[in-house]
């Protein structure tokens, strides 16, 4: 969210200092400072009237035209600072006012709150304190505007979409799923943070070829995470992702408790449109808090008995601890093949969860070079795994439209003609008709009927009966 800031500072030196600090704030759009109280009120009134409304507290257009935050210096004139704050709060109730003062004692703080201020910043100005007060006032302003009818799509407080990815057990593809969902959301133009809360064995850094000394543990002991502190802990990856990594020393993961996790996630959601959390497969207080807060909670499993049983145990654990209900969880089936006995409907029945419509095919040969090189972002766009995961991002609403484009190399790109169908066409039959001139049953191997029957016996009776072939684009993908 872009924060529009209007400073009201009478002293030229103080105005330059304020403007310099405001220019460093992320997502901030500071206006030139006004020199006195009259100029401030006139600027606010002009902004509202320029939107076509006679009253600043009236229609939504007038509310949205106003800046989110106004900074009032204590030496502003001719109207005293507290009286000016009271006037702005009464006439422009959707504007958050922050007082800049050298006296930040309890008496002045109480008086400023009574006047309608949303915070106080002490002099001399510091970046962290100014950023924290401006962001708090902006979030409050966004909430007020929702109730006043302006920008109804904006939500007060942290507004980023939080998606957690948890594995039913180790080795089911949790990190690969989290990484590619994050890359898909970033490719769609959204700001994305990828948080590794697999605190003992998380390895997002290895999948994206990152060496960074900061980790989520560095934020665990901080009671108020400022913008500057968050920037120092987050690694800006060349793909555009913001990475907050797990610690190198797994035993330090115990320093991140549920309180710290909630605070860290809140700070990330206030800065990024999408926050992906890799929760690993072991439940701790930190990733349990993330699952509880999530807008979308994914549970990754493979279609085998051991993994499905583990997924069922995980769902029951969440339910017992009142973290998340089964019906609020989405299961992603990874490494699915046509011949797998456990298909997605059975997974849904066993776990009691929703199963994503998009299933990820078993094609580790496509992944292995990128996994070994530690460059998952370089996975070929024709990879069926990548296309499935990016299509899953579209299904989850992380992109405006499904990110996977069905091009060459996709098993859903176009209907493939099996050898039986091609030979049937050559013999004069219509494609897919299953009829037409050709050798009778029992023909020698190498004929059309013999070719189809041999593959029908191996892949299933449908192909032998003239139904969909073994590479039916509507069915699951089988590697090889």
């Amino acid at each position: 969210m872009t924060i529009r800031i209007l400073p009201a500072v009478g002293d030229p030196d103080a105005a330059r200092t304020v403007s310099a600090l405001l220019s460093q704030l992320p997502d901030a759009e500071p206006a030139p400072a006004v020199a006195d109280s009259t100029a401030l009120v006139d600027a606010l009134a002009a902004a509202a009237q320029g939107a076509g409304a006679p009253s600043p507290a009236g229609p939504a257009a007038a509310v949205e035209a106003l800046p989110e935050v106004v900074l009032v210096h204590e030496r502003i004139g001719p109207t005293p600072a507290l009286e000016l704050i009271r006037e702005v709060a009464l006439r422009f109730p959707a504007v958050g006012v922050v007082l800049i003062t050298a006296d930040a004692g309890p008496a002045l703080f109480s008086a400023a709150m009574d006047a309608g201020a949303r915070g106080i910043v002490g002099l001399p100005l510091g970046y962290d304190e100014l950023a924290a007060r401006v962001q708090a006032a902006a979030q409050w302003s966004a909430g007020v505007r929702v109730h006043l009818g302006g920008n109804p799509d904006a939500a007060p407080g942290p507004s980023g979409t939080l998606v957690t990815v948890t594995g039913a057990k180790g080795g089911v593809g949790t990190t690969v799923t989290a990484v590619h969902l994050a890359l898909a959301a970033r490719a769609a133009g959204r700001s994305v943070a990828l948080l590794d809360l697999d605190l003992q064995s998380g390895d997002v850094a290895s999948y994206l070829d990152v060496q960074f000394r900061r980790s989520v543990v560095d934020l665990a002991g901080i009671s108020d995470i400022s913008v500057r502190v968050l920037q120092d802990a987050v690694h800006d990856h060349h793909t555009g992702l913001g990475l907050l990594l797990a610690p190198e020393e797994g035993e330090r993961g115990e320093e991140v408790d549920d309180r710290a996790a909630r605070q860290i996630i809140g700070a990330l959601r206030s800065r990024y449109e999408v926050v992906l959390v890799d929760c690993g497969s072991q439940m701790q207080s930190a990733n349990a808090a993330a699952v509880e807060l999530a807008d979308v909670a994914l549970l990754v499993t493979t279609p085998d008995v051991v993994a499905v049983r583990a997924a069922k145990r995980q769902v029951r654990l969440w339910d017992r601890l009142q973290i998340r209900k089964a019906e609020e969880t989405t299961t992603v089936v990874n490494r699915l093949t046509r011949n797998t006995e456990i298909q997605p409907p059975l997974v849904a029945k066993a776990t009691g969860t929703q199963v994503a419509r998009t299933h990820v095919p078993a094609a580790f040969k496509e992944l292995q070079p990128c996994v070994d090189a530690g460059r998952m972002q370089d996975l070929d766009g024709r990879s069926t795994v990548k296309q499935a995961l990016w299509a899953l991002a579209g299904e989850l609403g992380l992109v405006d439209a499904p990110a996977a484009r069905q091009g060459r190399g996709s098993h859903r790109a176009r209907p493939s003609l099996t050898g039986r169908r091609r030979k049937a066409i050559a013999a004069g039959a219509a494609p897919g008709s299953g009829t037409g001139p050709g050798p009778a049953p029992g023909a020698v191997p190498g004929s059309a009927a013999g070719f189809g029957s041999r593959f029908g016996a191996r892949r299933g009776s449908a192909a032998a009966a003239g139904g969909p072939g073994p590479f039916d684009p509507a069915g699951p993908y089988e590697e090889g």
Side-chain angles (χ1 to χ4, degrees):
M1 179 184 74
T2 301
I3 303 174
R4 293 166 295 176
I5 307 170
L6 178 58
V9 185
D11 181 34
D13 293 334
R16 284 192 292 270
T17 302
V18 170
S19 299
L21 287 175
L22 291 179
S23 65
Q24 301 177 31
L25 296 182
D27 303 323
E29 189 179 289
V34 294
D36 54 52
S37 59
T38 303
L40 172 63
V41 174
D42 289 346
L44 294 175
Q49 291 173 359
S55 172
V63 173
E64 284 305 303
L66 293 168
E68 284 77 18
V69 180
V70 166
L71 300 178
V72 175
H73 194 274
E74 62 178 352
R75 295 183 181 178
I76 197 71
T79 305
L82 292 180
E83 293 185 17
L84 177 60
I85 292 173
R86 184 175 292 105
E87 181 180 359
V88 171
L90 290 174
R91 292 185 58 185
F92 310 95
V95 175
V97 185
V98 177
L99 175 63
I100 301 175
T101 177
D103 179 17
L108 181 60
F109 182 85
S110 178
M113 295 302 105
D114 291 341
R118 301 306 310 170
I120 290 181
V121 179
L123 290 172
L125 289 175
Y127 175 87
D128 291 341
E129 184 182 11
L130 179 63
R133 298 289 82 78
V134 166
Q135 285 195 338
Q139 291 179 358
W140 174 88
S141 175
V144 171
R145 293 174 191 223
V146 171
H147 294 291
L148 291 178
N151 194 10
D153 295 330
S159 57
T161 301
L162 177 62
V163 180
T164 58
V165 185
T166 307
K169 66 180 188 64
V172 296
T174 308
T175 302
V176 171
T177 301
V179 167
H180 273 286
L181 290 178
L183 290 172
R186 184 69 191 106
R190 300 192 175 186
S191 57
V192 182
L194 178 56
L195 169 61
D196 194 348
L197 278 186
D198 187 2
L199 297 172
Q200 291 187 350
S201 55
D203 216 9
V204 167
S206 295
Y207 279 84
L208 292 173
D209 192 23
V210 173
Q211 293 182 349
F212 192 60
R213 62 187 181 88
R214 299 285 187 183
S215 74
V216 64
V217 174
D218 295 312
L219 300 178
I222 301 175
S223 57
D224 186 12
I225 300 176
S226 66
V227 176
R228 178 64 62 84
V229 170
L230 188 64
Q231 286 177 331
D232 289 342
V234 173
H235 173 71
D236 293 324
H237 196 252
H238 66 83
T239 58
L241 299 179
L243 304 180
L244 188 52
L245 305 172
E248 285 286 341
E249 305 83 7
E251 65 274 11
R252 296 196 62 195
E254 297 179 357
E255 301 175 27
V256 184
D257 57 10
D258 58 338
R259 181 204 60 81
R262 292 176 187 275
Q263 190 171 16
I264 292 167
I265 289 171
L268 290 173
R269 295 181 73 183
S270 67
R271 280 207 60 198
Y272 295 91
E273 295 177 88
V274 177
V275 178
L276 266 297
V277 183
D278 181 356
C279 294
S281 58
Q282 299 296 321
M283 276 293 100
Q284 301 167 337
S285 59
N287 48 23
V291 173
E292 183 179 6
L293 294 172
D295 299 305
V296 179
L298 299 181
L299 181 61
V300 181
T301 185
T302 49
D304 58 84
V305 173
V306 176
V308 173
R309 283 178 176 172
K312 187 175 181 179
R313 287 196 301 269
Q314 190 77 273
V315 171
R316 288 180 173 178
L317 173 64
W318 290 352
D319 186 60
R320 288 196 305 271
L321 299 179
Q322 298 183 351
I323 296 173
R324 201 169 194 90
K325 296 180 180 179
E327 56 269 21
E328 297 174 352
T329 303
T330 301
T331 300
V332 177
V333 181
N334 189 22
R335 301 174 194 157
L336 184 67
T337 67
R338 175 186 297 279
N339 294 332
T340 302
E341 292 186 10
I342 299 178
Q343 290 292 320
L346 183 57
V347 175
K349 183 178 180 180
T351 61
T353 63
Q354 306 176 39
V355 173
R357 296 189 305 273
T358 305
H359 316 306
V360 185
F364 186 72
K365 290 180 181 178
E366 301 173 358
L367 293 174
Q368 189 169 4
C370 295
V371 171
D372 292 343
R375 297 185 60 83
M376 190 56 62
Q377 67 274 15
D378 293 341
L379 184 61
D380 194 327
R382 295 173 297 178
S383 164
T384 56
V385 174
K386 179 175 181 178
Q387 291 181 0
L389 289 172
W390 286 43
L392 176 62
E395 179 181 338
L396 299 176
L398 301 183
V399 297
D400 295 332
R405 300 199 178 271
Q406 307 301 338
R408 290 168 41 191
S410 169
H411 67 287
R412 298 182 185 272
R414 59 191 184 275
S416 300
L417 292 176
T418 64
R420 177 181 57 80
R421 291 185 178 181
R422 284 196 298 267
K423 294 194 176 184
I425 293 174
S433 66
T435 62
V444 295
S447 65
F451 185 82
S453 62
R454 282 186 294 137
F455 271 79
R458 186 167 69 89
R459 304 278 184 136
S461 59
F471 295 95
D472 175 20
Y477 173 83
E478 180 178 6
E479 182 185 8

